[in-house]
Amino acid sequence: MLVLAEVYQRVGGSYSELGLKLFGPWASRTITVSILLAQLGFCSAYTIFVATNARDLWNSITQCQYNFSPTFWVVLQLLAYIPLAWVRKIKQFAPFALAANVFIMAGLGYVLTFDVAHIASHGVAEIVQYNPLRFPLLIGTAVFAFEGVTLVIPVIDSMTHKDRFPAVLSTSLGVCIVVFIAIGSLSYLALGDTVETVILLNLPKAAPTYLVQLFYTLAIMFSVPLQLFPAVRILESAVFPRSGKGNPMVKWQKNGVRALVVCLIACIAIFGADQLDNFIAIIGALACTPLSFIFPAALHYRISQGHPWTRLKDLFLGLLGCIIMVYVTYIGIMSWGVAAPTVDRCPASPLL
């Protein structure tokens, strides 16, 4: 991210425009396609998370009297996502983003409290120090977790004191790293091999847990339109060369494209619903790794005229990205279906 920020400050332009200026149209198109695939992948993963969490919450409250399949819960989200996808101005999502942040912080606090209390009362669970089969999926998931690389340039562009961006970024990601490691490690120490991909499924079934599940589900739902926004803008600019202002026909054609994109996301989510960990790892490796490692390193190498160690660093980052992209994607595909499915509190066949 810091390397990409340096390229932007020296060259200027959006992520795709940097590729155009330094390598040509093919690089610009490659970066644009990668951003599109990554954003669609993020939305699909979030849709799976919401479906899994909402289904578990519903079944816990209704005691499995009305058990609906994960597909039903994915399709149900279309009622919210399609209208939200028609929103044209990103600033209108600001209240949703603020609410999502509050809900997520509350959820993380609850999970952290549960982990500490569980370890204090039951001790540390039986754990495995290293799992060679699943470890590559951790790498893909880690890259997925820092998907904000596409927002580096917009954030810098919006800052009054752009020279402070490295300090702001380093501090922010430092906090994120501490939170990620704390929640992941403590949850595994508390639950061991019984821990679910969605940790909320392991929490005790009680009113506070239901409330946290509801808030966290809403938080992720509020995040989907923000992640979808760049993807639909890219597709619209490719399909519709002119604006739809003052032309209701063009506007509704664009709405139709946005609705189709949301339906595509739902289809992808249905396909990957039973293998959320593999799905996230593949998206992280295949879509996020080029944006986070390969492209920034290549762009920086192009403008670098300084110490040889700087160019060597760029080559190392690019090579590391290529290895992660190929190897983790391969492991994610080959191990698809190997992991145990998500816990199902209602073993009977679903209604829909």
Short mmCIF file of all heavy atoms in Angstrom, two decimals, residues 10 300-308 310-311:
data_model
loop_
_atom_site.label_atom_id
_atom_site.label_comp_id
_atom_site.label_asym_id
_atom_site.label_seq_id
_atom_site.Cartn_x
_atom_site.Cartn_y
_atom_site.Cartn_z
N ARG A 10 3.96 10.42 -7.17
CA ARG A 10 4.94 10.81 -8.18
C ARG A 10 4.35 10.88 -9.58
O ARG A 10 4.83 11.66 -10.41
CB ARG A 10 6.12 9.83 -8.17
CG ARG A 10 6.96 9.92 -6.90
CD ARG A 10 8.07 8.90 -6.88
NE ARG A 10 8.99 9.04 -8.01
CZ ARG A 10 10.06 8.27 -8.18
NH1 ARG A 10 10.34 7.30 -7.30
NH2 ARG A 10 10.84 8.44 -9.23
N HIS A 300 5.92 0.46 -9.18
CA HIS A 300 7.03 1.12 -8.48
C HIS A 300 8.37 0.81 -9.15
O HIS A 300 9.25 1.67 -9.22
CB HIS A 300 7.05 0.68 -7.01
CG HIS A 300 7.96 1.49 -6.15
ND1 HIS A 300 9.25 1.07 -5.84
CD2 HIS A 300 7.80 2.69 -5.54
CE1 HIS A 300 9.82 1.98 -5.07
NE2 HIS A 300 8.97 2.96 -4.87
N TYR A 301 8.52 -0.42 -9.61
CA TYR A 301 9.75 -0.79 -10.31
C TYR A 301 9.94 0.06 -11.56
O TYR A 301 11.06 0.44 -11.91
CB TYR A 301 9.69 -2.27 -10.69
CG TYR A 301 10.96 -2.81 -11.33
CD1 TYR A 301 12.00 -3.30 -10.54
CD2 TYR A 301 11.13 -2.80 -12.71
CE1 TYR A 301 13.16 -3.80 -11.11
CE2 TYR A 301 12.28 -3.29 -13.30
CZ TYR A 301 13.30 -3.78 -12.49
OH TYR A 301 14.46 -4.26 -13.07
N ARG A 302 8.82 0.40 -12.20
CA ARG A 302 8.88 1.18 -13.43
C ARG A 302 9.42 2.59 -13.19
O ARG A 302 10.13 3.15 -14.04
CB ARG A 302 7.48 1.27 -14.03
CG ARG A 302 7.42 1.82 -15.45
CD ARG A 302 7.92 0.80 -16.45
NE ARG A 302 7.58 1.18 -17.81
CZ ARG A 302 7.82 0.41 -18.87
NH1 ARG A 302 8.38 -0.78 -18.71
NH2 ARG A 302 7.49 0.81 -20.08
N ILE A 303 9.08 3.17 -12.05
CA ILE A 303 9.50 4.55 -11.79
C ILE A 303 10.76 4.63 -10.93
O ILE A 303 11.31 5.71 -10.73
CB ILE A 303 8.38 5.35 -11.10
CG1 ILE A 303 8.12 4.80 -9.69
CG2 ILE A 303 7.10 5.34 -11.92
CD1 ILE A 303 7.21 5.66 -8.86
N SER A 304 11.20 3.49 -10.41
CA SER A 304 12.31 3.48 -9.47
C SER A 304 13.63 3.68 -10.20
O SER A 304 13.97 2.95 -11.12
CB SER A 304 12.35 2.16 -8.69
OG SER A 304 13.44 2.14 -7.80
N GLN A 305 14.36 4.68 -9.77
CA GLN A 305 15.68 4.95 -10.32
C GLN A 305 16.70 5.14 -9.19
O GLN A 305 17.76 5.73 -9.40
CB GLN A 305 15.64 6.21 -11.19
CG GLN A 305 14.71 6.09 -12.39
CD GLN A 305 14.62 7.37 -13.17
OE1 GLN A 305 15.09 8.42 -12.73
NE2 GLN A 305 14.01 7.30 -14.36
N GLY A 306 16.38 4.66 -8.03
CA GLY A 306 17.23 4.87 -6.87
C GLY A 306 18.15 3.70 -6.60
O GLY A 306 18.71 3.09 -7.52
N HIS A 307 18.28 3.37 -5.32
CA HIS A 307 19.19 2.32 -4.88
C HIS A 307 18.77 0.97 -5.44
O HIS A 307 17.57 0.67 -5.53
CB HIS A 307 19.20 2.27 -3.35
CG HIS A 307 20.39 1.55 -2.80
ND1 HIS A 307 20.45 0.19 -2.74
CD2 HIS A 307 21.57 2.02 -2.29
CE1 HIS A 307 21.61 -0.18 -2.20
NE2 HIS A 307 22.31 0.92 -1.92
N PRO A 308 19.73 0.12 -5.81
CA PRO A 308 19.37 -1.21 -6.34
C PRO A 308 18.53 -2.03 -5.37
O PRO A 308 17.72 -2.86 -5.82
CB PRO A 308 20.74 -1.87 -6.57
CG PRO A 308 21.68 -0.72 -6.78
CD PRO A 308 21.17 0.39 -5.92
N THR A 310 16.09 -1.02 -3.67
CA THR A 310 14.69 -0.65 -3.87
C THR A 310 14.06 -1.48 -4.98
O THR A 310 12.96 -2.00 -4.84
CB THR A 310 14.58 0.85 -4.20
OG1 THR A 310 15.15 1.61 -3.14
CG2 THR A 310 13.12 1.25 -4.38
N ARG A 311 14.78 -1.62 -6.08
CA ARG A 311 14.28 -2.41 -7.21
C ARG A 311 14.23 -3.89 -6.83
O ARG A 311 13.33 -4.62 -7.26
CB ARG A 311 15.15 -2.19 -8.43
CG ARG A 311 15.37 -0.72 -8.78
CD ARG A 311 15.87 -0.53 -10.18
NE ARG A 311 14.76 -0.57 -11.12
CZ ARG A 311 14.91 -0.44 -12.44
NH1 ARG A 311 16.12 -0.29 -12.95
NH2 ARG A 311 13.87 -0.46 -13.24
#
